[in-house]
Amino acid sequence: TAELDSRERSKRLRLLKQAGFPADKTLDGYDWTNLKMPADWGRAQLENLDFVAGCEDLVLYGPVGTGKTHLAVALGRLACMRAIPVRFFTATGLLMRLRRAKREDRLDTELRQIAKARLLIIDEFGYLPIDEEGSRLLFQIISDSYETRSIIYTTNIEFSKWGTVLGDDKLAAATIDRLVHHGRLVEFNGP
């Protein structure tokens, strides 16, 4: 029993390290008052990670500084503690990583590494505009994840402006279509 417990602890610590979280955030003491959840869905489903089990996506939408990244990291850490592989990226960091892999002719390998995660977190989506190549690379991640793993996006950009961010309205529409089909929007209000 002690050996199994030790292995489980080691696995969880390895998953936390591999995830690449920017900080140690938890749900302990998290202020839930400024969140607007879907009508048929709420805090219990988030804390149970039901969306990960169902390969659903989450869009955490709201102004800067309202706790979107905190919640995304806390959910990601919770998933790691439940032995679910997670990867955390800022949108810019993910695109730089994919571009470098493509330049070094190892894009397929990088995509396979990312695909090992059951939960991807893409933070700060839309904070910086994305060029055509970046949009295609990002869409490849989103398309590969569709119905196979969950993605949490944090953004302060409403859906109607995603075409401007991605530089392509059709690509934005296809991305939003995947999100809406198997996803939920959690809106952050407040200071």
Side-chain angles (χ1 to χ4, degrees), residues 129-144:
I130 302 170
D131 65 8
E132 186 178 334
E133 179 192 33
S135 294
R136 287 188 183 129
L137 289 169
L138 185 59
F139 184 74
Q140 188 166 359
I141 294 284
I142 294 166
S143 184
D144 289 349

Side-chain angles (χ1 to χ4, degrees), residues 26-32 43 70:
T26 67
L27 295 176
D28 295 336
Y30 187 77
D31 181 6
W32 297 89
R43 179 177 172 179
H70 182 132

Side-chain angles (χ1 to χ4, degrees), residues 155-168:
T155 185
N156 63 354
I157 307 295
E158 59 191 57
F159 285 149
S160 65
K161 295 185 180 163
W162 281 29
T164 305
V165 171
L166 294 172
D168 183 334

Side-chain angles (χ1 to χ4, degrees), residues 84-152:
I84 298 170
V86 178
R87 293 298 301 269
F88 177 95
F89 301 99
T90 62
T92 305
L94 176 59
L95 289 176
M96 288 185 345
R97 183 181 196 105
L98 293 172
R99 283 190 177 114
R100 185 172 44 249
K102 185 177 180 184
R103 218 176 24 253
E104 295 170 0
D105 199 28
R106 55 178 188 77
L107 182 60
D108 289 340
T109 303
E110 187 67 36
L111 292 171
R112 278 193 303 274
Q113 287 290 76
I114 292 170
K116 289 179 181 179
R118 287 192 36 221
L119 173 61
L120 296 177
I121 300 172
I122 302 176
D123 193 31
E124 300 176 349
F125 180 84
Y127 283 43
L128 296 173
I130 302 170
D131 65 8
E132 186 178 334
E133 179 192 33
S135 294
R136 287 188 183 129
L137 289 169
L138 185 59
F139 184 74
Q140 188 166 359
I141 294 284
I142 294 166
S143 184
D144 289 349
S145 298
Y146 183 61
E147 296 185 332
T148 61
R149 73 188 52 80
S150 295
I151 302 177
I152 297 176

